Amino acid sequence: MKYVIANWKMYLDAKKSLELIAEVKGQLSKVKGLHVVICPSFLSLSDILNTKHLTLNFDLGAQDCFWAERGAHTGEVSPTDLLESGVKYVIIGHSERRQELGETDEMVNKKLQAVQKAGLMPILCVGETAQERERGKAEEVVSNQLVKDLVGVDASKILIAYEPIWAIGTGKSCEPSEAVKMHQLIKSKTNNAPVLYGGSVDDKNVASYVAEEVVDGVLVGGASTKPEVFTNLLKNVSNL
Ligand code: PGA
């Protein structure tokens, strides 16, 4: 079954998040043969969870969490608290966190271990910059991230998102044939873990990725926050 992970980043406030659910609920209730995971801001998690009584077909994800279960960690969010609040998936190591907040592979690794220990499914993001790709280093960079991030992590309980940094939020999506090569590489290094593609996925190009056997789904940012585009995207993938 293919995945559609909606990463709402910090785009929407609580009210707009609920409005978006209301606008896409027609399609969400019809989704079949697809794992849809919605990752709103922390503050919207419980509101969104409450809409599940409408028998909407999705799971809830968080966009990050801390590596400790409890303690003196001002401003952080515990993986066990996320589990208790109904979250099933957690995005870890998104390039925006790596670049804006200096999140290192060591930190990503600790978070992955904590998320698995808590019984949540991590979605690990890896990917190269434009410069690294131009220098022919994309495969090396992604392989190195995997080696460092996955120390002591159970590779059978993880989703990996291949997200080339130059494709995120730019409208310059990666050619599906190029994504396929990177997915094959990631699968060969992770005992065949499910690999999702992320970076400027929208309703128009989603099918070209999901139709590929080695693409186990998509991680969608901006397009998943626009009701019409998100509805069409779900429709286009459900029809495959
Ligand atoms: P985008 O973001 O779809 O807006 O390019 C993807 C992501 O960062 O997860």
Side-chain angles (χ1 to χ4, degrees):
M1 209 187 303
K2 304 268 177 168
Y3 290 87
V4 173
I5 317 272
N7 176 11
W8 288 356
K9 308 193 182 190
M10 208 180 70
Y11 284 127
L12 307 168
D13 63 19
K15 186 165 168 271
K16 291 230 170 68
S17 301
L18 279 178
E19 279 168 12
L20 180 55
I21 291 282
E23 282 166 310
V24 298
K25 75 171 191 241
Q27 192 59 36
L28 272 180
S29 61
K30 281 190 235 153
V31 161
K32 279 207 188 86
L34 206 60
H35 276 300
V36 180
V37 180
I38 294 185
C39 308
S41 74
F42 284 126
L43 286 174
S44 296
L45 283 169
S46 57
D47 281 352
I48 304 279
L49 187 69
N50 289 337
T51 65
K52 296 252 305 168
H53 70 270
L54 303 167
T55 65
L56 301 183
N57 219 341
F58 68 88
D59 282 318
L60 206 57
Q63 299 174 15
D64 179 46
C65 74
F66 196 54
W67 56 74
E69 241 176 77
R70 206 151 298 287
H73 307 289
T74 303
E76 293 298 335
V77 176
S78 155
T80 45
D81 288 355
L82 288 175
L83 184 79
E84 272 165 35
S85 64
V87 166
K88 294 197 176 152
Y89 295 80
V90 187
I91 298 172
I92 297 290
H94 192 284
S95 60
E96 284 151 13
R97 297 194 59 81
R98 293 182 192 254
Q99 292 192 325
E100 293 177 351
L101 295 157
E103 205 163 286
T104 62
D105 288 308
E106 197 194 358
M107 290 154 84
V108 167
N109 175 255
K110 288 205 263 183
K111 290 183 178 193
L112 290 174
Q113 294 194 42
V115 163
Q116 286 190 334
K117 190 165 161 240
L120 293 154
M121 178 67 92
I123 305 162
L124 165 66
C125 300
V126 293
E128 78 286 354
T129 63
Q131 224 179 35
E132 287 161 346
R133 173 156 287 269
E134 276 155 28
R135 287 199 205 126
K137 300 261 181 220
E139 299 188 0
E140 189 185 322
V141 167
V142 168
S143 301
N144 281 340
Q145 283 178 326
L146 290 172
V147 168
K148 291 182 188 156
D149 295 351
L150 294 177
V151 176
V153 172
D154 182 348
S156 69
K157 292 191 186 124
I158 192 166
L159 306 178
I160 316 267
Y162 169 57
E163 296 211 302
I165 294 169
W166 48 271
I168 296 177
T170 58
K172 285 191 228 152
S173 54
C174 180
E175 280 299 318
S177 57
E178 197 44 47
V180 162
K181 277 191 216 156
M182 297 302 285
H183 282 226
Q184 280 162 342
L185 172 85
I186 294 168
K187 280 183 179 284
S188 74
K189 309 250 172 216
T190 57
N191 208 10
N192 231 8
V195 184
L196 322 172
Y197 169 74
S200 294
V201 174
D202 60 22
D203 53 339
K204 307 278 187 306
N205 64 17
V206 66
S208 64
Y209 296 106
V210 173
E212 298 288 349
E213 205 186 318
V214 289
V215 178
D216 297 289
V218 283
L219 178 47
V220 190
S224 70
T225 64
K226 297 176 189 114
E228 218 186 297
V229 181
F230 192 30
T231 300
N232 285 335
L233 187 150
L234 291 172
K235 221 184 269 175
N236 293 345
V237 185
S238 302
N239 286 342
L240 285 179

